[in-house]
Amino acid sequence: MLLSEVRPRQPAVDQWAAVRRRITAVDQAFGDPWDENNPLGFSEILSADERESCLPAALETYDAQLLNAEFVPAALGGRLVGMDTAGALLRPVFRRDARLGAIGCISSLLAASVVWAAGSEAQRRRTADALLGGGRLAIACHQLEHANIFFQEEFRARPAGGGYLLSGRKPAINNLDRAELILAFASGPDGHSLFLLDRERLPGPWMKRLGGAPTGWGGMGLGGLELLECPVPASALVGGWGRGVEVGASAYPLMNATIAAMLIGLGDTALRVTLRFAAERSGSGSDCGSGPGSRSGSGLARSTPAQVRTAVNGAFVDLLIADCLTLTATRSLHLVPEQCDVLTAAAKYLVPKVLSESMHHLSTILGDGFHTTAGPSALVRKHLRDIDTISFGHVGSAVCQTAIVPFLPLLARDSDARSAQPEPALFRPGTTVPALDPDRLAQFGGGDRLWGYLSRAVESGELGPAGTADELGDEFAVRATAFAAELADVMETATDLGFDTGDPVDDPRAIPLSERYTLLLAAASCLGVWREAAAAPADDPGAAFLADPAWLLLALDRLLRRLGRPVPAVPAEAMARVHDELRRRADGARAFDLYAAELAG
């Protein structure tokens, strides 16, 4: 069905405006980050970062906003209405300081996700009570080769006296000194098991606190713990003896998608810094002051050098691409949980990569300013470092790609995927979703069907003159041809992936193919968001810009270039329309994501 045939949909219970207001409220609670007199502003954050610490007042503000309640299910007293909303609401935190986000929510989200997915009713209640009461959670990971400090060494467990005895040491546990509960992996004769440990009730004689945080990890509440035949009750076991890896894996989709969604806040700040820098350098930055009450204006005139306009437009569209993918992934947790594994792993893999590449491109505008240790430009370098830390760098990427690869041959051979219609609600920000269903999440399915959605759009001509009903239609047609070639090549290669090696993961084509597939999923997500926005009621202000084909054209263009497909330059008219929206958002201090919420500065 062509876009021109789609009738305006009547939104169900559309919470888009309500989510925007909540994002604004969270951002305003931390104050204008550009105000040098703000104790929670960028100046203080950078000073604390030099000391490898986090601002105590920022943590107090985080707790005062009860932000951890955003990922506690409503049935347990929390405010979780959707993981897409939770991810968006935490962006104001990450746009200021990823260290604050890591301490405030990342480790708690990781541990809580496992409990929501596989914990007993008592364990879920205990975890919810801890988070709603202002407590935090920690996670003691299992050991992995060639990984960072969080995966060095591990605990060991053995049954004893109706319970278990835990031994061994973990040199690095994030939030250890702040944690009320610790989710601990422990190896045993039947594999790894998971235990939910109440830190205050661990017997003192069998527990030893190890030394301080390694260099570079200060302020994270990072510490080591040694257990010496420490007795823990049978009720601490999460999900069954010897099922730790399986239980942990069942929570990966929730973690992957939501963390990727939060990281978009880092990209927002990097783009905002670059806009200010470019405006000041061109002498048009009178509205880019950093005093009390200042607004975050773009200061960019139409005469801005083409290189700068291209870079900032690209960074803006990269944020939209990332948000389209994370929106689809987080909503899949609720709408199609038995099919979400590939999609959520793709979001966790691709979003940090896209954001990092985008920031590197922006750094060419900052020039020497990128290497400063003070001032706004230093934020871009800090955020680049933090993305790598929070996403676990190459290890995190490898884990996600390894999760995607086994499904690729199945997806390629799924004849129904080409005709199956994905749930339209996947692409609608803010609309209600069902509560998380742990049993459906644990089915480990990868039939996302989005490649078929994109394929049908290409074949039907929706990405052409008739489908877009815009003067850019011919440009879409050119790119549709390129996507058709890419889709065909990826599916053909995936069909016999692993045929010679016996295992798709061992096939030398696997890793590059998984990256290409994530880019196709991103393109399908962008198409879905644009399509649903264009089908929304004309008076829906949230959908106005997203219904413009110009941003979609730039998004598809950037994705094709990442795929190595040659395409002509994007027309100046499309670039101008996107740039006008970028300037409006910068001048109005609005977020550069799908929500465009008003920010404190």
Side-chain angles (χ1 to χ4, degrees):
M1 181 166 56
L2 301 182
L3 182 61
S4 56
E5 300 171 348
V6 178
R7 290 176 297 177
R9 62 176 170 83
Q10 294 301 315
V13 183
D14 195 332
Q15 299 175 324
W16 204 349
V19 173
R20 284 198 295 269
R21 288 194 296 270
R22 290 170 69 190
I23 295 171
T24 297
V26 172
D27 200 85
Q28 290 178 343
F30 289 91
D32 183 352
W34 307 98
D35 182 356
E36 294 183 356
N37 296 318
N38 180 5
L40 306 182
F42 286 140
S43 295
E44 293 298 325
I45 288 169
L46 286 171
S47 295
D49 191 66
E50 284 290 304
R51 303 189 299 271
E52 293 189 3
S53 65
C54 180
L55 295 173
L59 275 172
E60 292 173 5
T61 301
Y62 181 99
D63 291 336
Q65 293 297 304
L66 302 176
L67 290 177
N68 283 349
E70 301 298 341
F71 54 84
V72 175
L76 295 171
R79 297 198 297 235
L80 175 61
V81 295
M83 296 311 299
D84 55 327
T85 299
L89 285 171
L90 269 297
R91 284 175 199 165
V93 174
F94 281 84
R95 90 176 185 102
R96 287 167 171 79
D97 186 11
R99 194 190 300 266
L100 171 61
I103 295 171
C105 72
I106 290 291
S107 63
S108 294
L109 173 65
L110 295 177
S113 298
V114 176
V115 178
W116 306 153
S120 66
E121 195 59 40
Q123 289 168 337
R124 291 173 183 167
R125 169 54 58 193
R126 178 70 183 90
T127 300
D129 289 346
L131 292 173
L132 297 175
R136 306 195 196 286
L137 312 182
I139 185 165
C141 303
H142 54 83
Q143 185 171 348
L144 287 177
E145 296 294 330
H146 311 299
N148 62 26
I149 58 174
F150 294 109
F151 294 94
Q152 293 175 3
E153 304 186 57
E154 63 186 6
F155 294 130
R156 301 179 302 278
R158 61 184 178 88
Y164 303 91
L165 292 178
L166 268 60
S167 300
R169 47 183 281 143
K170 281 295 298 181
I173 301 175
N174 188 25
N175 259 359
L176 176 63
D177 290 336
R178 301 182 180 94
E180 188 171 328
L181 301 174
I182 302 172
L183 183 71
F185 279 88
S187 61
D190 301 310
H192 286 84
S193 299
L194 272 167
F195 297 88
L196 187 63
L197 308 177
D198 191 322
R199 185 171 177 274
E200 295 301 319
R201 296 183 181 179
L202 285 176
W206 293 278
M207 179 180 69
K208 180 181 178 183
R209 175 69 164 79
L210 301 179
T215 301
W217 298 86
M220 301 278 284
L222 198 66
L225 185 66
E226 184 174 10
L227 300 178
L228 310 166
E229 294 286 283
C230 181
V232 298
S235 60
L237 182 66
V238 179
W241 175 251
R243 296 186 60 238
V245 173
E246 177 186 347
V247 167
S250 68
Y252 282 171
L254 197 154
M255 303 177 202
N256 287 338
T258 311
I259 291 174
M262 295 174 184
L263 292 178
I264 291 172
L266 298 173
D268 186 289
T269 293
L271 177 53
R272 217 166 288 272
V273 166
T274 307
L275 290 171
R276 286 171 167 257
F277 179 88
E280 291 169 1
R281 187 174 62 177
S282 66
S284 59
S286 60
D287 58 347
C288 294
S290 59
S294 67
R295 305 301 286 167
S296 178
S298 69
L300 291 178
R302 286 273 185 175
S303 59
T304 301
Q307 178 190 8
V308 174
R309 287 167 60 88
T310 299
V312 296
N313 282 0
F316 177 33
V317 173
D318 282 344
L319 287 172
L320 295 176
I321 292 171
D323 205 6
C324 287
L325 183 56
T326 61
L327 175 79
T328 309
T330 48
R331 292 179 68 79
S332 75
L333 296 165
H334 301 266
L335 294 166
V336 285
E338 56 281 292
Q339 297 177 8
C340 71
D341 291 77
V342 168
L343 186 54
T344 53
K348 178 58 166 54
Y349 167 76
L350 190 60
V351 168
K353 184 179 179 67
V354 167
L355 294 179
S356 294
E357 290 177 359
S358 184
M359 287 189 202
H360 278 296
H361 291 154
L362 292 176
S363 72
T364 63
I365 298 174
L366 298 174
D368 291 342
F370 176 70
H371 302 286
T372 61
T373 58
S377 296
L379 286 166
V380 179
R381 193 179 69 258
K382 166 180 159 51
H383 282 357
L384 258 174
R385 179 203 69 202
D386 290 343
I387 281 181
D388 190 63
T389 299
I390 291 175
S391 62
F392 294 115
H394 72 280
V395 173
S397 295
V399 169
C400 291
Q401 289 181 288
T402 302
I404 294 168
V405 167
F407 289 106
L408 293 181
L410 303 176
L411 289 165
R413 298 169 191 151
D414 185 355
S415 58
D416 293 335
R418 191 174 289 273
S419 58
Q421 177 68 27
E423 175 64 52
L426 284 171
F427 311 117
R428 298 174 183 168
T431 52
T432 56
V433 291
L436 292 171
D437 186 333
D439 293 332
R440 292 176 68 192
L441 274 170
Q443 291 183 28
F444 300 102
D448 57 73
R449 306 296 174 91
L450 291 189
W451 77 267
Y453 178 72
L454 181 59
S455 177
R456 286 195 310 281
V458 169
E459 293 171 353
S460 68
E462 183 176 340
L463 291 181
T468 54
D470 185 272
E471 65 272 20
L472 300 174
D474 290 338
E475 298 295 333
F476 278 99
V478 171
R479 285 155 183 82
T481 300
F483 268 115
E486 183 67 19
L487 280 162
D489 189 52
V490 168
M491 289 299 117
E492 181 181 356
T493 305
T495 301
D496 65 350
L497 195 67
F499 180 80
D500 295 330
T501 60
D503 185 341
V505 176
D506 295 330
D507 193 311
R509 300 171 297 173
I511 296 304
L513 194 67
S514 68
E515 177 164 359
R516 292 168 68 190
Y517 189 74
T518 64
L519 291 166
L520 291 177
L521 291 182
S525 298
C526 291
L527 174 63
V529 169
W530 169 73
R531 197 172 190 271
E532 289 303 308
D539 60 351
D540 185 342
F545 170 69
L546 295 179
D548 185 345
W551 78 266
L552 178 65
L553 179 65
L554 264 69
L556 298 181
D557 185 86
R558 291 182 72 78
L559 291 168
L560 282 170
R561 292 176 188 279
R562 283 190 168 92
L563 286 164
R565 294 279 172 178
V567 286
V570 173
E573 173 59 27
M575 294 287 283
R577 278 151 59 175
V578 170
H579 193 69
D580 285 345
E581 176 68 13
L582 171 63
R583 295 178 68 218
R584 278 193 294 270
R585 294 197 189 192
D587 292 339
R590 290 189 173 273
F592 297 128
D593 58 12
L594 295 178
Y595 296 90
E598 185 175 357
L599 305 176

